[in-house]
């Protein structure tokens, strides 16, 4: 469909978001920052065991145990109220899609082509 996207203030949607979604998004940004070397929180992070590959669509993390550790630490911070709103804003972007044209495609296993 065609339409416009509008940014939604994060304060409006945070109460409705599952905690696992919030912590996963923040943890993902932390891992990306570690990979980029932009995050300096006192840890001596060694990138040699955490090889990453980046495609046009997504970044994958090679070391799953480190990823799990970052996610668990982020979840604990969130549950204890120690996850700053500023970090959440930096990690999460919410948009509202307002369509002005949608297409309905119909077809099935017995049809040769999809129809509009």
């Amino acid at each position: 469909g065609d339409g416009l996207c509008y940014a939604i203030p994060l304060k409006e949607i945070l109460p409705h978001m599952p905690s696992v979604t919030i912590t996963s998004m923040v943890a993902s940004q932390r891992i990306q920052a570690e990979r980029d070397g932009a995050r300096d929180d006192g840890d001596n992070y060694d990138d040699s065991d955490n090889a990453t590959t980046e495609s046009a669509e997504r970044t994958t993390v090679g070391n799953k145990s480190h990823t799990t550790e970052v996610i668990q630490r982020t979840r604990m911070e969130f549950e204890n109220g120690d996850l700053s709103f500023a970090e959440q804003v930096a990690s999460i972007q919410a948009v509202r899609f307002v369509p002005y044209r949608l297409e309905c495609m119909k077809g099935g296993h017995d049809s040769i082509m999809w129809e509009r």
Side-chain angles (χ1 to χ4, degrees):
D2 295 329
L4 299 172
C5 289
Y6 298 97
I8 302 173
L10 203 53
K11 285 186 178 185
E12 287 184 22
I13 64 160
L14 274 179
H16 307 288
M17 289 178 64
S19 62
V20 68
T21 302
I22 296 169
T23 56
S24 295
M25 292 175 134
V26 172
S28 176
Q29 287 297 314
R30 288 180 176 183
I31 292 167
Q32 183 66 33
E34 285 179 350
R35 187 187 74 81
D36 293 342
R39 186 165 183 256
D40 183 22
D41 60 1
D43 291 341
N44 292 324
Y45 180 72
D46 182 10
D47 198 27
S48 61
D49 292 335
N50 299 299
T52 58
T53 58
E54 192 170 324
S55 68
E57 296 174 3
R58 58 182 349 155
T59 300
T60 59
V61 177
N63 188 334
K64 291 183 182 181
S65 65
H66 177 68
T67 302
T68 302
E69 177 187 332
V70 172
I71 292 171
Q72 288 175 338
R73 187 172 54 235
T74 306
R75 181 179 53 85
M76 293 302 294
E77 288 177 23
F78 180 77
E79 289 175 357
N80 293 332
D82 297 332
L83 192 61
S84 73
F85 183 70
E87 187 173 14
Q88 292 176 50
V89 168
S91 303
I92 302 169
Q93 181 180 7
V95 294
R96 177 173 285 124
F97 176 66
V98 180
Y100 54 80
R101 185 177 75 93
L102 292 174
E103 293 183 9
C104 178
M105 305 291 284
K106 64 180 184 176
H109 64 280
D110 59 346
S111 64
I112 297 173
M113 295 181 70
W114 287 86
E115 295 182 30
R116 290 193 162 120

